[in-house]
């Protein structure tokens, strides 16, 4: 059961798309509300209660014991005590003797204190007086999440090729660079579906431009790559360079589509191309205009994009010079170390006529950029496309996926990748993943192989690194055949992974879950955070410690242990309980639930070679419902499910 409560005059975030009953404030259960500024809500926790959710936040899957701040910002120095990241996902679930969830639907800053003092009190402080609160009650935590996923709408559905392996690096500057990367993957037999282009493909880092010296014939080059089953995925940033004569800039100024400053003129902020204006994405007409700009890419045959710098990230502004000490509100321990004044210096005009500073609606900016892009691409293309973003808010999951931002090449970030996946799924974001190998810093052979063993199971599987770091393409390391083995597993599992993703999205379910969601009565499963359920059949237990040759795995029930290496699949049936499992760097071990099946396909160089129907079945079950379509149609539905039966 879901109920809705209004306070003040809420800003329309478009996060919830289904009808939810509106209740009087006196009917609010689970929370005690304290009026004021900020207004706060609190509840008493049971001693053994677990708190799930909050999407893209640091620490483990259980969020109890820390403070989190919902305020999107760009900080690549991810630490365990970091309060905010790139996304605002204000939904959480309390799981104990009773289970309930809450979604604080406001684009302004929210502070979640999940019993950081250890006194059993959960408190939520909302800076804005204008918000919607949705309370969800269910039989257990998983039931609460499924109800919430139903009301926020169906996940974005990418094409099949978006589930392939992607290679990316800030530093691929020319057509020759990209061709060299593709040729090396072919030479070493490492499967590849797409290559991402960072800001260097643009003319002076200007959105919706192409550097003709570096990519003299992008349309022809794109067409040639498609014949080989390879796609290009360019980056698009949030700021439009101030440059009279540039068509996009001129149109935006002439139509009044940019955010305003205190004086009522177009706000100026420095990002990669220099001083820019920010489109006012909270207005429908601006979103329509911005989405149309992707035509320059779709006319070149491009069908995949990643949006960046849309928290928005700011280097300097017309009011604050570059290098100026951050204007942090002194005395407020909840304020992230960002240039807070920047967000108070520019303004949006909402469709209802109200004017709000970006600070008041800050968490919506990136989400509405994603919406603008997704709606534009829906109009421009007659097929599914790839779109993922850095900044987000619940609701953006209907228009695109996300990656978890500028992480680092550390074992802690690998562990965080595991923790993020189920938490993001709870908030609607099914198509997600981390920068495999880490974006900042220098990855090494061991870390990249262990990270690949995790990314095999996440919908977005992209190796991405920063300029001035050590190159971390798989073919650059000793014994590249080991990397080929792990990436090839991704393709052999795609008949299952694609099927489970599509079924989860169409049924508004989770794709990756904590163990406790499938084993709610198992006390041990409730404590485990480094093992995950992937779809209906698979459990993974990745190795996340440097130098480890194996690990202890807990099996809540008898399962089939599957080991994949250079010789293919090896399966044994094992009993429930704890077991020590060894896994060399060139092998991946995963588990199939009792009575379940996993369809696996033949090896492929990319998804264009993959036949989803040509599969063998692993596991002890007798029937599997497989989703199979052409990988690009927009007419997706459960009618594409077929039944696979194990031969007697």
């Amino acid at each position: 059961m879901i109920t809705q409560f209004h306070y003040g005059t809420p800003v329309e975030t478009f996060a919830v798309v289904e009808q939810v009953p509106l209740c009087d404030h006196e009917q609010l259960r689970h929370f005690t509300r304290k009026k004021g500024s900020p207004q706060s809500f609190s509840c008493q926790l049971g001693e053994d209660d677990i708190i799930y959710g909050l999407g893209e936040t640091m620490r483990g899957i259980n969020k109890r014991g820390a403070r989190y701040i919902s305020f999107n910002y760009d900080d690549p120095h991810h630490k365990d005590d970091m309060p905010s990241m790139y996304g605002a996902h204000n939904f959480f679930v309390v799981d104990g003797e009773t289970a309930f969830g809450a979604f604080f639907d406001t684009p302004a800053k929210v502070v979640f204190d999940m019993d950081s003092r250890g006194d059993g009190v959960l408190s939520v402080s909302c800076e804005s007086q204008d918000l919607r609160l949705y309370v969800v009650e269910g039989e257990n935590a998983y039931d609460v999440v499924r109800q919430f996923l139903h009301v926020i709408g169906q996940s974005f559905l990418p094409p099949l090729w978006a589930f392939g392996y992607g290679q990316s690096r800030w530093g691929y500057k020319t057509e020759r660079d990209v061709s060299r990367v593709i040729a090396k993957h072919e030479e070493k037999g490492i499967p590849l579906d797409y290559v991402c282009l960072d800001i260097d493909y643009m003319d002076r880092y200007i959105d919706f431009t192409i550097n003709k010296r570096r990519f003299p014939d992008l349309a022809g080059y794109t067409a040639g790559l498609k014949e080989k089953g390879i796609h290009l995925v360019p980056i698009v940033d949030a700021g439009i360079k101030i440059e009279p004569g540039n068509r996009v800039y001129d149109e935006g100024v002439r139509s009044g589509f940019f955010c305003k400053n205190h004086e009522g003129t177009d706000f100026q902020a420095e990002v990669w191309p220099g001083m820019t204006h920010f489109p006012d994405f909270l207005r429908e007409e601006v979103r329509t205009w911005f989405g149309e700009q992707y035509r320059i890419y779709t006319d070149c045959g491009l069908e995949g994009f990643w949006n960046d710098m849309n928290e928005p990230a700011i280097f300097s502004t017309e009011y604050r010079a570059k290098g100026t000490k951050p204007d942090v509100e002194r005395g407020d321990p909840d304020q992230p170390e960002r240039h807070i004044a920047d967000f108070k210096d520019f303004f949006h005009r909402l469709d209802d006529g109200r004017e709000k500073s970006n600070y008041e609606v800050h968490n919506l900016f990136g989400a509405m950029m994603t919406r603008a892009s997704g709606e534009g691409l829906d109009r421009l293309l007659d097929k599914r496309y790839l779109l993922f973003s850095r900044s987000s808010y619940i609701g953006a999951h209907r228009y695109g996926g996300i990656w978890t931002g500028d992480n680092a090449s550390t074992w802690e970030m690998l562990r965080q990748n595991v923790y993020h996946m189920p938490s993001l799924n709870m908030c609607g974001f099914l198509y997600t993943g981390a920068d495999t190998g880490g974006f900042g810093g220098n990855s090494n052979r061991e870390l990249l192989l262990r990270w690949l063993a995790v990314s095999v199971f996440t919908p977005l599987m992209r190796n991405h690194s920063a300029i001035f770091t050590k190159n971390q393409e798989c073919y650059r390391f000793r014994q590249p055949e080991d990397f080929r083995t792990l990436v090839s597993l991704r393709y052999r599992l795609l008949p299952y992974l694609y099927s489970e993703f599509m079924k989860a999205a169409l049924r508004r379910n989770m794709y990756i879950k904590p163990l406790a969601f499938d084993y709610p009565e198992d006390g041990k499963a409730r404590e485990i955070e480094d093992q995950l359920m992937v779809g209906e059949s698979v459990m993974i237990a990745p190795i996340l410690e440097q130098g480890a040759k194996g690990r202890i795995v807990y099996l809540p029930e008898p399962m089939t242990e599957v080991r994949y290496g250079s010789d293919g699949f090896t399966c044994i049936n094992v009993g429930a309980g704890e077991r020590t499992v060894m896994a060399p760097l060139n092998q991946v071990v995963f588990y199939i639930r009792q009575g379940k099946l996993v369809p696996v396909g033949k090896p492929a160089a990319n998804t264009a070679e993959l036949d989803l129907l040509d599969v063998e079945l692993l596991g002890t079950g007798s029937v599997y419902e497989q989703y199979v379509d052409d990988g690009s149609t927009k007419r997706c539905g459960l009618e594409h499910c077929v039944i696979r039966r194990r031969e007697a």
Side-chain angles (χ1 to χ4, degrees):
M1 181 179 72
I2 307 181
T3 51
Q4 177 183 181
F5 303 87
H6 279 199
Y7 302 95
T9 308
V11 171
E12 181 55 71
T13 67
F14 304 98
V16 172
V17 294
E18 301 290 345
Q19 293 269 333
V20 176
L22 182 61
C23 297
D24 295 330
H25 298 168
E26 292 74 19
Q27 296 176 273
L28 180 63
R29 298 179 56 192
H30 303 291
F31 293 100
T32 300
R33 176 181 173 233
K34 181 180 178 181
K35 300 178 182 178
S37 183
Q39 61 176 317
S40 62
F41 301 79
S42 62
C43 72
Q44 189 69 41
L45 298 171
E47 184 177 352
D48 297 323
D49 286 357
I50 289 176
I51 304 173
Y52 296 107
L54 294 185
E56 188 183 54
T57 45
M58 294 295 285
R59 298 172 63 91
I61 294 174
N62 182 0
K63 298 303 177 183
R64 187 167 181 172
R67 293 169 67 86
Y68 307 89
I69 302 173
S70 181
F71 192 83
N72 298 351
Y73 76 114
D74 170 25
D75 183 350
H77 306 294
H78 302 173
K79 301 176 182 178
D80 193 55
D81 61 352
M82 188 175 177
S84 305
M85 294 188 72
Y86 307 93
H89 310 127
N90 301 346
F91 172 68
F92 63 85
V93 181
V94 176
D95 184 29
E97 289 188 12
T98 60
F100 70 92
F103 173 39
F104 288 82
D105 189 10
T106 168
K109 189 181 82 169
V110 182
V111 178
F112 297 91
D113 189 320
M114 301 309 201
D115 190 23
S116 67
R117 295 178 297 274
D119 55 5
V121 176
L122 180 160
S123 65
V124 182
S125 298
C126 302
E127 185 157 305
S128 174
Q129 301 296 300
D130 304 318
L131 74 144
R132 294 181 176 91
L133 168 60
Y134 297 88
V135 178
V136 189
E137 296 178 296
E139 296 179 3
N140 52 45
Y142 191 16
D143 179 44
V144 169
V145 169
R146 283 182 289 190
Q147 290 184 63
F148 182 65
L149 294 178
H150 180 77
V151 299
I152 62 173
Q154 178 183 292
S155 166
F156 161 70
L157 299 176
L160 175 61
W161 66 262
F163 293 85
Y165 180 64
Q167 179 57 52
S168 180
R169 179 172 171 84
W170 176 17
Y172 297 159
K173 295 184 177 182
T174 66
E175 181 180 305
R176 182 180 179 184
D177 291 339
V178 175
S179 294
R180 185 183 297 116
V181 168
I182 294 170
K184 279 292 186 179
H185 279 81
E186 292 174 345
E187 176 188 332
K188 302 300 181 182
I190 301 170
L192 183 69
D193 260 87
Y194 62 93
V195 177
C196 291
L197 303 179
D198 213 308
I199 54 177
D200 293 306
Y201 81 89
M202 302 177 187
D203 176 16
R204 295 170 291 133
Y205 307 147
I206 302 174
D207 270 356
F208 308 116
T209 66
I210 298 163
N211 187 310
K212 295 296 186 180
R213 284 191 306 105
R214 296 176 174 180
F215 292 88
D217 179 14
L218 185 60
Y221 186 55
T222 299
L225 292 183
K226 281 186 179 180
E227 291 180 0
K228 302 170 66 174
I230 305 292
H231 295 258
L232 288 180
V233 179
I235 194 173
V236 177
D237 285 342
I240 302 299
K241 181 173 175 59
I242 299 172
E243 185 170 78
N246 178 294
R247 178 188 58 80
V248 180
Y249 167 79
D250 289 342
E251 286 180 4
V253 170
R254 184 169 59 249
S255 301
F257 285 164
F258 297 124
C259 293
K260 304 301 181 184
N261 61 15
H262 292 288
E263 290 75 38
T265 59
D266 293 336
F267 176 70
Q268 300 182 36
E270 181 190 8
V271 200
W272 291 115
M275 297 305 284
T276 69
H277 293 324
F278 289 143
D280 191 355
F281 292 118
L282 275 65
R283 293 161 52 195
E284 182 177 6
E285 61 179 336
V286 178
R287 293 195 298 272
T288 300
W289 166 77
F290 188 83
E292 177 64 23
Q293 306 312 315
Y294 285 77
R295 184 180 296 276
I296 187 177
Y297 302 123
T298 58
D299 283 351
C300 291
L302 298 171
E303 300 165 3
F305 309 90
W306 54 302
N307 288 347
D308 200 3
M309 305 294 286
N310 52 356
E311 292 71 33
I314 295 174
F315 299 164
S316 68
T317 75
E318 58 190 297
Y319 299 112
R320 180 183 59 79
K322 194 170 187 177
T324 304
K325 190 174 182 179
D327 297 312
V328 178
E329 295 185 358
R330 302 298 189 266
D332 182 357
D334 296 330
Q335 203 64 264
E337 292 290 320
R338 280 294 307 156
H339 304 291
I340 297 303
D342 293 349
F343 306 128
K344 295 182 177 180
D345 283 339
F346 70 99
F347 300 85
H348 299 267
R349 192 177 78 240
L350 309 185
D351 283 329
D352 63 13
R354 285 184 287 173
E355 184 181 84
K356 296 280 188 181
S357 72
N358 176 267
Y359 183 79
E360 297 173 281
V361 293
H362 179 74
N363 292 336
L364 269 185
F365 187 86
M368 288 304 176
M369 180 187 179
T370 300
R371 181 179 180 182
S373 307
E375 290 178 337
L377 291 168
D378 274 332
R379 294 188 295 269
L380 292 169
L381 295 172
D382 60 357
K383 61 179 68 174
R384 277 145 52 196
Y385 49 83
L386 172 59
L387 176 63
F388 57 97
S389 175
R390 192 169 75 178
S391 182
S392 59
Y393 185 88
I394 292 174
H397 69 283
R398 300 193 299 274
Y399 304 99
I402 60 174
W403 92 101
T404 54
D406 297 345
N407 61 3
S409 300
T410 68
W411 291 88
E412 176 54 38
M413 288 299 96
L414 171 56
R415 287 187 287 274
Q416 201 62 51
N417 187 182
V418 173
Y419 303 150
H420 275 147
M421 293 302 104
S423 298
L424 284 166
N425 269 225
M426 294 177 207
C427 297
F429 292 93
L430 301 192
Y431 188 81
T432 183
D435 286 343
T436 298
F439 176 72
N442 297 313
S443 193
N444 59 43
R445 184 175 187 274
E446 179 189 8
L447 177 60
L448 182 55
L449 283 166
R450 292 302 192 200
W451 210 317
L452 286 167
V454 172
S455 297
V456 158
F457 298 95
T458 65
L460 173 61
M461 186 185 185
R462 178 179 74 147
N463 180 334
H464 183 45
S465 58
I467 198 169
F468 305 128
T469 65
K470 176 182 174 182
N471 287 75
Q472 63 186 42
E473 296 89 353
C474 291
Y475 54 76
R476 294 186 182 272
F477 294 91
R478 178 176 59 85
Q479 295 178 263
E481 62 271 18
D482 292 344
F483 294 87
R484 178 175 65 237
T485 295
L486 268 61
V487 178
S488 73
L489 173 60
R490 169 64 163 216
Y491 287 80
R492 300 206 63 184
L493 283 177
L494 272 181
Y496 174 77
L497 300 175
Y498 180 70
S499 175
E500 291 303 300
F501 179 95
M502 295 298 288
K503 289 188 297 183
L506 293 169
R507 289 172 173 150
R508 303 192 189 183
N509 206 336
M510 294 177 69
Y511 165 78
I512 293 183
K513 306 183 289 293
L515 259 63
F517 279 28
D518 277 347
Y519 303 97
E521 305 303 321
D522 188 321
K524 180 73 172 176
R526 279 173 59 83
E527 300 172 359
I528 292 176
E529 300 202 327
D530 61 354
Q531 299 177 207
L532 301 174
M533 306 304 300
V534 180
E536 69 175 42
S537 304
V538 168
M539 183 187 79
I540 63 172
I543 293 175
L544 307 175
E545 301 294 332
Q546 182 177 2
K549 307 300 183 186
R551 58 162 292 168
I552 295 175
V553 177
Y554 175 69
L555 304 181
E557 63 178 334
M559 293 186 177
T560 301
E561 183 177 282
V562 183
R563 185 177 297 270
Y564 184 82
S566 58
D567 295 331
F569 295 100
T570 303
C571 302
I572 60 171
N573 295 327
V574 294
E578 288 189 346
R579 60 188 281 106
T580 298
V581 179
M582 308 306 291
L585 289 172
N586 61 355
Q587 293 184 0
V588 177
V589 179
F590 62 95
Y591 297 84
I592 302 176
R593 296 184 65 180
Q594 190 173 35
K596 301 290 186 179
L597 291 173
V598 170
V600 297
K602 300 293 190 298
N606 50 55
T607 54
E609 294 185 2
L610 189 66
D611 184 351
L612 294 174
L613 292 170
D614 186 9
V615 299
E616 60 177 304
L617 299 172
L618 306 180
T620 59
S622 57
V623 174
Y624 177 75
E625 180 190 44
Q626 185 184 359
Y627 182 95
V628 181
D629 64 15
D630 63 9
S632 65
T633 181
K634 286 186 174 182
R635 296 180 297 278
C636 303
L638 294 173
E639 67 272 11
H640 292 285
C641 289
V642 297
I643 299 299
R644 298 276 174 241
R645 297 187 184 278
R646 176 182 289 283
E647 296 180 5

